[in-house]
């Protein structure tokens, strides 16, 4: 394969016929691709497509069952991650791996295959400084503790660590999943710096906009195989999504089908000390409202406060005309307000419990009889909830921890759905870490819930999602609302302007 990055001689990474089998199960099969010097390649696919297995082979965690892997024309057989690192392949994982109590300098050398015994040498300091400068951390001191860095700075530090390791191929796995738009720009700038230095990048993301804003080419995997590799400029968005999910999808963002009804949630002067001030909103039946702001703006904090999870929240809040007691999650749930957390692992689902148990966990009083949980009734209610959110009922017996991020999110949403008693659904980052196909299914589920009379209030940092999905957007800056706009009145650019420069927006 040749492209604008050069001839076949410029190929940095070449894999041919890679396969990995676990017994009779093929995780990937016949995977081939070429990555050129200075190329940024998006790697897309739904959960279970084989991306993680491919990355584990490229980084020496797994050995392939079949196939070859060449780096800069040299045949490689990685026995472990150290071999891969020495060959120039480095992974920046989705979960940050920094040691918070160590300095920036020490974190850069942590895990380096050739780290000197005495790391704080003049040479190591020069290399560390050059790596930090290359990713936009020019003002960050080497002696600063990692815990004192902002989230985006920690992500950039992980990327800089790859440069210290002399990475010629850097694999970035969802590097912007927890970042605001402004922080995402910093990561993009760092990737472009790497590209200018002829470093090749494999960029794994579930955000379609990032594929088109940053990447040169895209490889799509489905069911363990590569189904397409094309320049991004030649890949229409609809076609990319169809390749990922294996079928035509007409509406990623389904339109509203009903007019907003009665006021279900009325918030006046919501206040959280040093976080939120004067937050006012009315949420009506049948509508989806998005709250948008940078990290620390108060957007996600306002959702958590309304869910009863902030003990010192104050304000005049009513649900269906009845006063809501803030700071008391049980009282909030009883009032008909349900919450879906952005942190699935810690707050969203019980990973060790079955999907069936997860779906009925918030309504055990409805299922139980004399202190017992009748299996038949539990199964019927769980199956009904599963159907409402598009979860395959045949998988209800599986532990939630064995499911994809998209299916875990469906469980969290399903727990909140109740067609007989509509309510208010609060959500933070509704599709974080969810593949594009599952995102579309979640959007459709939210619309169905609204059609049934529910109302959804969500906070999201994915502006493409906000513009495509919500009926009304509320922008926040430093704890205050700076704008409220109806559908058709807002764009990504306008939202970004308000949440980053509220003075001008006002």
């Amino acid at each position: 394969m040749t492209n604008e990055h050069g001839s076949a001689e410029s190929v940095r990474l070449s894999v041919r016929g890679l396969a990995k089998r676990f017994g009779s199960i093929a995780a990937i099969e016949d995977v081939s691709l070429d990555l050129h010097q200075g190329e940024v390649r998006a790697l897309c696919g739904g959960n279970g497509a084989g991306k993680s297995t491919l990355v584990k082979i490229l980084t020496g965690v797994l050995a392939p069952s079949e196939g070859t892997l060449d780096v800069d024309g040299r045949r490689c057989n990685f026995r472990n991650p150290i071999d891969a690192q020495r060959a120039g392949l480095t992974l920046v994982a989705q979960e940050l791996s920094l040691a918070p109590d160590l300095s920036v300098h020490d974190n850069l050398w942590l895990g380096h295959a050739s780290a000197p015994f005495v790391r704080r040498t003049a040479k190591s300091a020069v290399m560390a400084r050059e790596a930090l400068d290359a990713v936009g951390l020019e003002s960050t001191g080497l002696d600063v503790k990692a815990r004192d860095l902002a989230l985006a700075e920690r992500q950039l530090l992980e990327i800089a660590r790859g440069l210290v390791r002399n990475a010629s191929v850097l694999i970035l796995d969802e590097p912007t999943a927890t970042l605001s738009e402004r922080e995402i720009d910093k990561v993009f700038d760092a990737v472009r710096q790497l590209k200018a230095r002829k470093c090749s990048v494999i960029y794994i993301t579930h955000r379609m906009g990032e594929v088109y804003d940053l990447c040169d080419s895209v490889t799509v995997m489905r069911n363990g195989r590569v189904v397409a590799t094309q320049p991004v400029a030649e890949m229409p968005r609809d076609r990319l999504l169809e390749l990922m999910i294996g079928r035509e999808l007409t509406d990623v963002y389904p339109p509203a089908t009903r007019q907003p009804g009665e006021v279900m949630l009325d918030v006046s002067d919501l206040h959280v000390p040093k976080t939120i001030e004067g937050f006012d909103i009315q949420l009506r039946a049948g509508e989806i409202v998005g709250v948008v702001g940078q990290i620390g703006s108060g957007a996600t904090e306002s959702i958590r406060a309304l869910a009863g999870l902030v003990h010192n929240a104050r304000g005049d809040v009513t649900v269906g005309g009845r006063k809501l007691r803030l700071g008391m999650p049980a009282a909030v749930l009883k009032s008909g307000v349900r919450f879906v957390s952005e942190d699935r692992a810690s707050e969203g689902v019980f990973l060790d419990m079955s999907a069936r148990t997860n779906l009925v966990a918030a309504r055990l009083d409805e299922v139980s009889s004399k202190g017992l949980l009748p299996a038949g009734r539990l199964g019927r209610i769980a199956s009904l909830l599963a159907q409402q959110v598009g979860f395959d009922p045949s998988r209800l017996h599986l532990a939630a921890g064995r499911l994809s991020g998209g299916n875990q999110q469906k469980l969290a949403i399903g727990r909140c759905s109740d067609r007989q008693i509509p309510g208010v659904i609060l959500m933070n980052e509704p599709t974080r870490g969810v593949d594009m196909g599952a995102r579309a299914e979640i959007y459709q589920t939210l619309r169905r819930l609204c059609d049934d009379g529910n109302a959804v209030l969500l906070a999201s940092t994915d502006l493409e999602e906000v513009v495509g999905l919500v009926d009304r957007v509320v922008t926040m800056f430093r704890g205050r609302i700076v704008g409220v706009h109806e559908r058709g009145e807002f764009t990504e650019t306008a939202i970004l302007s308000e949440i980053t420069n509220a003075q001008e927006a006002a």
Side-chain angles (χ1 to χ4, degrees):
M1 174 182 174
T2 61
N3 60 15
E4 70 272 18
H5 296 89
S7 64
E9 287 73 27
S10 72
V11 173
R12 175 59 53 78
L13 170 69
S14 179
V15 299
R16 288 289 178 272
L18 282 187
K20 181 61 183 179
R21 302 184 186 90
F22 299 93
S24 61
I25 304 299
I28 63 172
E29 192 76 48
D30 195 25
V31 171
S32 299
L33 61 86
D34 289 333
L35 181 68
H36 291 255
Q37 294 178 19
E39 181 180 4
V40 182
R41 170 74 59 84
L43 180 60
C44 296
N47 292 305
K51 304 187 303 295
S52 295
T53 301
L54 175 59
V55 168
K56 287 177 181 178
I57 292 174
L58 296 179
T59 54
V61 176
L62 292 175
S65 303
E66 291 179 8
T68 61
L69 189 158
D70 295 347
V71 180
D72 290 324
R74 299 188 307 274
R75 182 62 45 87
C76 297
N77 294 290
F78 301 147
R79 296 165 296 177
N80 50 52
I82 294 298
D83 284 350
Q85 187 186 133
R86 285 177 173 147
L89 277 72
T90 295
L91 169 68
V92 177
Q94 185 174 353
E95 301 297 331
L96 299 183
S97 60
L98 301 175
D101 292 317
L102 293 184
S103 69
V104 166
H105 191 175
D106 290 335
N107 267 287
L108 282 171
W109 287 94
L110 193 64
H112 195 297
S114 305
F117 181 75
V118 179
R119 292 179 184 166
R120 288 179 172 268
T121 64
K123 182 178 179 181
S124 74
V126 169
M127 293 179 65
R129 185 73 268 159
E130 289 177 348
L132 293 174
D133 292 350
V135 298
L137 292 177
E138 299 92 339
S139 60
T140 302
L142 294 178
D143 293 326
V144 174
K145 292 285 200 314
R147 69 166 61 255
D148 295 327
L149 299 176
L151 189 59
E153 292 173 325
R154 295 179 208 172
Q155 187 70 66
L156 293 173
L157 179 57
E158 290 268 14
I159 296 173
R161 180 191 280 170
L163 295 183
V164 168
R165 295 176 179 177
N166 296 317
S168 58
V169 177
L170 197 61
I171 304 171
L172 303 181
D173 186 3
E174 291 281 345
T176 64
T178 59
L179 304 183
S180 69
E181 287 293 321
R182 178 169 286 182
E183 291 169 325
I184 288 172
D185 287 341
K186 294 180 180 179
V187 173
F188 279 17
D189 288 342
V191 173
R192 292 180 180 117
Q193 288 276 2
L194 297 175
K195 176 181 173 69
R197 293 160 63 105
K198 299 299 183 183
C199 180
S200 302
V201 177
I202 296 177
Y203 193 91
I204 303 171
T205 182
H206 289 318
R207 292 183 171 185
M208 190 177 294
E210 295 184 355
V211 174
Y212 290 89
D213 290 343
L214 183 65
C215 301
D216 303 305
S217 56
V218 55
T219 291
V220 183
M221 295 188 68
R222 189 175 72 245
N223 297 330
R225 294 177 178 270
V226 170
V227 295
T229 295
Q230 286 183 228
V232 167
E234 299 175 8
M235 177 74 78
R237 293 192 178 208
D238 291 347
R239 177 59 178 160
L240 174 57
L241 190 55
E242 289 172 10
L243 286 168
M244 289 175 55
I245 65 177
R247 66 182 189 276
E248 184 177 355
L249 191 62
T250 54
D251 288 316
V252 176
Y253 300 107
T257 58
R258 60 170 286 173
Q259 292 295 318
E262 72 279 5
V263 174
M264 299 193 70
L265 176 68
D266 193 344
V267 182
S268 178
D269 197 26
L270 179 65
H271 177 80
V272 175
K274 300 181 181 181
T275 306
I276 303 169
E277 189 171 347
F279 183 93
D280 301 326
I281 194 171
Q282 282 191 336
L283 184 66
R284 298 179 180 275
E287 69 174 350
I288 301 175
V289 175
V291 184
V292 185
Q294 297 192 92
I295 294 172
S297 67
T300 58
E301 293 84 355
S302 65
I303 301 294
R304 296 186 68 84
L306 293 173
L309 299 173
V310 180
H311 75 279
N312 57 348
R314 299 291 182 268
D316 185 10
V317 182
T318 61
V319 178
R322 296 183 178 181
K323 188 172 180 61
L324 182 68
R325 299 177 64 184
L326 296 175
M328 303 184 67
V332 171
L333 181 62
K334 189 174 181 179
S335 72
V337 177
R338 304 123 190 188
F339 173 63
V340 179
S341 173
E342 71 274 32
D343 187 349
R344 285 190 296 274
S346 298
E347 298 180 332
V349 296
F350 303 103
L351 295 175
D352 294 332
M353 294 185 178
S354 68
R356 178 184 293 107
T357 302
N358 269 278
L359 282 170
V360 302
R363 56 189 74 199
L364 295 181
D365 56 337
E366 302 173 26
V367 181
S368 62
S369 175
K370 297 180 181 180
L372 301 176
L373 293 174
R377 190 175 184 193
L378 186 150
R380 286 192 298 273
I381 293 177
S383 294
L384 176 63
L385 294 173
Q387 291 170 11
Q388 290 181 12
V389 296
F391 182 87
D392 183 357
S394 69
R395 308 187 75 186
L396 285 171
H397 66 286
L398 295 177
R402 294 181 58 190
L403 301 173
S404 68
N407 277 320
Q408 289 178 6
Q409 191 71 344
K410 289 178 183 179
L411 296 180
I413 296 171
R415 190 187 303 148
C416 297
S417 65
D418 191 330
R419 294 192 176 191
Q420 295 180 336
I421 309 175
V424 174
I425 300 175
L426 306 174
M427 308 182 76
N428 273 335
E429 302 294 349
T431 59
R432 174 176 290 170
V434 175
D435 72 77
M436 295 176 192
R439 282 177 176 229
E441 294 174 345
I442 288 172
Y443 300 149
Q444 291 166 355
T445 295
L446 294 180
R447 275 297 170 202
R448 284 198 298 270
L449 290 173
C450 287
D451 290 344
D452 292 333
N454 294 280
V456 177
L457 181 65
L458 60 86
S460 175
T461 55
D462 188 335
L463 296 190
E464 181 177 331
E465 172 177 86
V466 170
V467 171
L469 179 65
V470 308
D471 305 307
R472 182 158 36 105
V473 65
V474 177
T475 55
M476 295 190 69
F477 184 81
R478 295 181 179 174
R480 289 180 174 273
I481 291 176
V482 295
V484 179
H485 308 283
E486 299 293 331
R487 172 169 285 282
E489 299 176 357
F490 53 83
T491 62
E492 289 187 43
T493 302
I495 293 173
L496 185 60
S497 176
E498 286 196 0
I499 66 177
T500 58
N501 195 347
Q503 290 81 7
E504 287 187 8

